[in-house]
Amino acid sequence: MISANLSAIFYLVSGVLFILALRGLSSPETSRQGNFFGILGMVIAITVTFLSTGNFSTGFIFVLIFILAGGSIGAFIAYRIPMTAMPELVAGFHSLVGLSAVFVAISAFLNPEAFNLGTPGNIKLGSLIEMSIGAAVGAITFSGSVIAFLKLQGIMSGSPITFKGQHQLNAIILISIAVLIYLLCSTQTSNLFWILLAVSFLIGFLIIIPIGGADMPVVISMLNSYSGWAAAGIGFTLENTALIITGALVGSSGAILSYIMCKGMNRSFFNVILGGFGATEDSSTSSSKEQRPVKSGNADDAAFLMKNASSVIIVPGYGMAVAQAQHALREMVDTLKKNDIKVSYAIHPVAGRMPGHMNVLLAEANVPYDEVFELEEINNDFANADVAFVIGANDVTNPVAKTDPQSPIYGMPVLDVEKCKSVLFVKRSLSPGYAGIDNDLFYKENTLMLFADAKKMTEDITKNL
Amino acid sequence: MEIDPLIFRLSIFILSIFVGYYVVWSVTPSLHTPLMSVTNAISSVIIVGAIIAGLSGNSDSVFNTSSIFGFLAIALAAVNIFGGFLVTQRMLAMYKKKKKDKQ
């Protein structure tokens, strides 16, 4: 058994190690070391907890059994999960953080003596407030993440689910959560605690259902942030520095990612959360519905264009992930490089279903990360490139965002793909992208549409090179 | 008058938000997915609360309603800790620089 002061210092150390873990991610070279710091911090936190309870009885064995059981499931998932399923995995993991926060809060509420928080029905006021906030945020994180998971997994339709009076209903529920917390803290009635949990689960569900598939990067980041705030709430209850530091880190990390994603779409956070984007039929679409001519080609034409190019920029999007085309793409690029063609990749901040989604897939396909560029780094290069190869991206290349103030995506930063000498656009059909608007790029003089599955088309081009 | 310890915890909390703010802005965008998975793993340090909850039963009865919730929370957090760190490691191992011998 170690003293409370000593264990507090160790918790502080593990909090600092967690900061270093995030710090390591500033470059791929230091990132692996960062991850090691994270693991070390976790080992310290768990060991210190064991030592400070000083309870090595039967209960201790059960704790180890549950850690091993959960740990082996987690390890199994981590090794088996395909990289394309990373958004679902992260959403699933968020739900677990949320649910364990709820469980810890329930446990503390039922047995406050174990945590030095008072007695049932007479819990210290401060602790009860922290506990109920932690539990409510945890519950919202859980049910919200479950919906996000189901949408990403395709079990639930990715299109927004909206109904009349939705915002009013959500507002009422949010107010009732605040009222419930107030009543719970003033009366200590246990029934109120259960109602609070139920209502929080409900609002998490209701907040996420109106948000469409392509807004998932924002949703995942937001839930990431929530899971941090839930952990911090519990950290305050348990008076644990490691949890408070971590909660704050994760909370601000998720918030920053949400901000970056919203900026990548030129939409306010509020606008994304209110949801329903892409579900409403806007007038600007119907006005441009008349048939316009497009040039379409086959793998042979594409190979010809690329063979005669001296530089090619690849623009991947969610479609590449769906078609699992990243390996085929890398093979195509290898062939291009053998012909002394300069190839680079351009990644839009909101390409894919989560922040950095495309980068991971390209890394999986052994694309060196110094060939992959962010929007600001590469956007000026399009004008000097010969061919842009758009694979599975759509809205992020739409020049309408720069030209038409009426368009719902007006003002969104887009890749200046149309400035290339020629554009190859791999797509299954002419159907509009997520924003529900036509892409002007399809009809440009220098665009060649390649109607096919992304993976198959890429393989065919490689054969023809 | 003595300062409530809550104020100290609040100070740590607020300062950590600022640390998080600056640290996360310096994360390179290409590592945003590993950032999410590693934050996932570290937020599962909530397992320390779960362990205290799990050990709250006395020696006669390891399991009571409160400790059962503790044990469940331990299992969930453990899934996240192992899964989160390992999947991050797996992802980070894939990020490679251009090989020098290639052209």
Side-chain angles (χ1 to χ4, degrees):
Chain A
M1 179 122 183
I2 56 175
S3 77
N5 284 334
L6 191 58
S7 52
I9 287 172
F10 277 114
Y11 283 134
L12 184 63
V13 170
S14 90
V16 171
L17 285 168
F18 291 150
I19 295 174
L20 293 176
L22 299 194
R23 176 76 194 127
L25 290 170
S26 57
S27 91
E29 286 102 69
T30 55
S31 61
R32 282 170 278 255
Q33 192 193 25
N35 199 40
F36 171 73
F37 283 139
I39 297 173
L40 188 63
M42 190 61 74
V43 170
I44 292 178
I46 294 176
T47 316
V48 168
T49 311
F50 281 142
L51 293 177
S52 64
T53 56
N55 176 352
F56 292 97
S57 59
T58 351
F60 178 71
I61 294 164
F62 280 101
V63 170
L64 287 184
I65 291 174
F66 277 94
I67 290 181
L68 283 178
S72 35
I73 296 171
F76 180 76
I77 297 172
Y79 280 114
R80 294 297 300 275
I81 191 92
M83 284 299 143
T84 39
M86 212 40 77
E88 291 95 300
L89 180 76
V90 168
F93 277 172
H94 286 157
S95 73
L96 299 185
V97 178
L99 195 58
S100 52
V102 171
F103 284 170
V104 173
I106 291 177
S107 181
F109 186 76
L110 293 174
N111 188 2
E113 287 110 328
F115 298 87
N116 281 326
L117 304 176
T119 51
N122 189 20
I123 300 172
K124 279 189 277 180
L125 180 65
S127 310
L128 191 57
I129 297 173
E130 294 150 5
M131 194 192 295
S132 41
I133 293 175
V137 179
I140 294 172
T141 312
F142 171 71
S143 55
S145 302
V146 168
I147 300 301
F149 175 82
L150 294 176
K151 285 195 171 201
L152 287 164
Q153 188 78 298
I155 297 170
M156 201 170 143
S157 154
S159 53
I161 298 166
T162 49
F163 53 86
K164 229 176 164 240
Q166 193 164 24
H167 301 321
Q168 288 85 336
L169 178 69
N170 290 351
I172 291 169
I173 295 178
L174 283 173
I175 294 166
S176 74
I177 287 181
V179 174
L180 277 167
I181 292 179
Y182 174 76
L183 289 177
L184 172 66
C185 295
S186 50
T187 65
Q188 304 246 0
T189 320
S190 62
N191 279 341
L192 287 174
F193 184 73
W194 306 115
I195 298 172
L196 172 69
L197 284 182
V199 172
S200 304
F201 280 126
L202 181 68
I203 188 72
F205 171 79
L206 287 172
I207 287 176
I208 307 301
I209 53 165
I211 304 178
D215 282 341
M216 279 304 150
V218 182
V219 170
I220 296 190
S221 320
M222 181 184 86
L223 292 167
N224 186 243
S225 179
Y226 284 4
S227 69
W229 304 132
I234 302 296
F236 273 104
T237 320
L238 306 182
E239 311 186 347
N240 184 306
T241 344
L243 252 177
I244 295 176
I245 296 177
T246 316
L249 288 178
V250 177
S252 54
S253 161
I256 291 172
L257 290 176
S258 320
Y259 170 79
I260 296 174
M261 293 301 113
C262 288
K263 216 170 142 234
M265 296 190 290
N266 189 39
R267 294 171 57 201
S268 72
F269 182 69
F270 208 56
N271 178 287
V272 175
I273 294 313
L274 287 178
F277 193 69
T280 41
E281 195 62 45
D282 25 37
S283 49
S284 60
T285 10
S286 41
S287 61
S288 57
K289 270 276 153 68
E290 81 271 21
Q291 291 288 318
R292 287 193 279 172
V294 292
K295 279 197 290 185
S296 79
N298 56 27
D300 209 9
D301 306 327
F304 178 78
L305 268 173
M306 283 206 260
K307 229 189 293 184
N308 292 307
S310 62
S311 71
V312 174
I313 298 179
I314 305 209
V315 182
Y318 181 57
M320 180 188 81
V322 175
Q324 303 258 20
Q326 66 271 31
H327 296 281
L329 182 67
R330 213 276 330 284
E331 275 161 35
M332 184 187 92
V333 170
D334 282 350
T335 322
L336 289 175
K337 280 198 208 147
K338 268 184 211 134
N339 294 319
D340 278 334
I341 299 165
K342 186 176 170 283
V343 186
S344 36
Y345 298 80
I347 313 277
H348 191 277
V350 294
R353 285 292 185 263
M354 74 183 293
H357 192 187
M358 292 299 122
N359 302 80
V360 171
L361 294 182
L362 292 176
E364 187 202 9
N366 280 324
V367 173
Y369 61 82
D370 37 10
E371 286 175 12
V372 183
F373 299 94
E374 304 301 317
L375 177 107
E376 311 86 57
E377 296 172 321
I378 201 168
N379 226 5
N380 292 327
D381 297 354
F382 280 106
N384 306 318
D386 298 308
V387 175
F389 187 73
V390 183
I391 174 164
N394 186 358
D395 289 334
V396 298
T397 62
N398 198 339
V400 145
K402 289 175 285 189
T403 53
D404 179 11
Q406 300 301 312
S407 164
I409 62 166
Y410 181 71
M412 167 170 146
V414 286
L415 293 159
D416 296 334
V417 174
E418 77 282 358
K419 289 188 182 152
C420 269
K421 289 201 189 73
S422 44
V423 178
L424 295 168
F425 210 112
V426 187
K427 209 172 177 307
R428 280 162 188 270
S429 69
L430 268 187
S431 64
Y434 169 69
I437 44 169
D438 226 2
N439 193 340
D440 267 2
L441 198 58
F442 299 165
Y443 313 103
K444 289 263 187 237
E445 191 66 14
N446 55 353
T447 304
L448 188 68
M449 299 298 293
L450 306 167
F451 293 113
D453 172 73
K455 189 175 175 193
K456 193 165 177 307
M457 176 54 77
T458 321
E459 285 166 351
D460 288 350
I461 293 174
T462 314
K463 272 180 218 147
N464 283 304
L465 274 170
Chain B
M1 207 183 101
E2 220 177 309
I3 298 174
D4 191 322
L6 176 68
I7 304 299
F8 290 121
R9 288 192 284 278
L10 202 62
S11 319
I12 294 173
F13 180 64
I14 304 288
L15 291 175
S16 302
I17 292 178
F18 278 92
V19 171
Y21 180 85
Y22 289 106
V23 169
V24 171
W25 271 116
S26 74
V27 171
T28 164
S30 67
L31 292 176
H32 276 164
T33 299
L35 172 68
M36 302 207 90
S37 60
V38 86
T39 49
N40 227 313
I42 64 173
S43 55
S44 304
V45 73
I46 200 157
I47 198 169
V48 302
I51 292 173
I52 299 173
L55 291 175
S56 64
N58 51 37
S59 44
D60 311 325
S61 62
V62 175
F63 293 101
N64 55 45
T65 337
S66 165
S67 75
I68 287 171
F69 277 111
F71 284 122
L72 290 176
I74 290 174
L76 295 178
V79 172
N80 246 334
I81 293 172
F82 283 74
F85 281 125
L86 288 173
V87 87
T88 310
Q89 199 166 37
R90 207 181 125 200
M91 271 191 270
L92 293 178
M94 298 184 316
Y95 282 82
K96 288 188 194 84
K97 246 194 166 138
K98 206 179 306 186
K99 282 197 195 81
K100 285 280 179 303
D101 53 11
K102 248 189 191 171
Q103 286 140 37

